[in-house]
Amino acid sequence: MDAERWWPPFVEIVALAWIALFVVDVAISVDVLVVSDSFAVTVRAVLQWLLVVFLLDLALLYRWSDEDPRAFVRSNWFLILTVVPWFRPFRLLRIGRSVRALRLLSGSRRVGSLLNKVRGKCRNLWRRLRD
């Protein structure tokens, strides 16, 4: 299906928008950001509507999975948890798999050399930020 191809990137963009608006909402709530009342109400309304997109995402993932509900929940519990935007950063844990793959690739000279350069740059940047 065509929707199966464009839907996941769309949801990721919506997730980034939700996170940005959530930060704005928190800043408004703690008086770090001063805006008009109508703007604050609009931000909260958009946040609520974006939650509908995340629920629709879960429904579509179930529809496309060809599993019964119990099997879908058992096999996708982590994905279901991360549908709630507050838990979306946990999707970064999937990066752990990629890091393991990079470690295997680091055995080759070219990839190992590149990873060492990136690691060195990150260390320098971290030291600058700490000081």
Side-chain angles (χ1 to χ4, degrees):
M1 268 190 185
D2 194 36
E4 289 182 59
R5 203 175 71 237
W6 64 263
W7 181 256
F10 169 73
V11 172
E12 293 302 322
I13 291 168
V14 170
L16 291 173
W18 189 92
I19 291 168
L21 288 172
F22 181 73
V23 168
V24 169
D25 186 44
V26 169
I28 292 169
S29 298
V30 295
D31 293 328
V32 171
L33 185 63
V34 179
V35 296
S36 66
D37 289 336
S38 63
F39 183 78
V41 169
T42 302
V43 167
R44 288 186 188 104
V46 171
L47 284 171
Q48 289 175 350
W49 278 105
L50 290 180
L51 285 175
V52 173
V53 173
F54 297 121
L55 293 174
L56 180 62
D57 180 44
L58 182 60
L60 287 173
L61 290 174
Y62 169 68
R63 175 95 167 116
W64 293 331
S65 73
D66 297 329
E67 292 180 305
D68 65 277
R70 186 174 281 178
F72 178 76
V73 170
R74 254 190 259 127
S75 63
N76 295 297
W77 65 270
F78 187 74
L79 182 65
I80 292 168
L81 180 68
T82 61
V83 165
V84 179
W86 294 282
F87 298 117
R88 255 184 135 58
F90 287 127
R91 283 194 179 183
L92 294 175
L93 295 176
R94 289 183 178 179
I95 293 174
R97 293 180 190 160
S98 302
V99 169
R100 278 184 261 152
L102 282 175
R103 283 185 184 161
L104 291 174
L105 289 174
S106 65
S108 75
R109 285 186 177 172
R110 287 184 179 167
V111 175
S113 175
L114 174 66
L115 290 176
N116 283 333
K117 288 178 184 176
V118 169
R119 189 179 311 138
K121 294 288 184 186
C122 290
R123 281 185 190 152
N124 289 338
L125 180 62
W126 179 250
R127 285 184 193 133
R128 289 182 194 163
L129 290 173
R130 280 192 323 192
D131 295 337

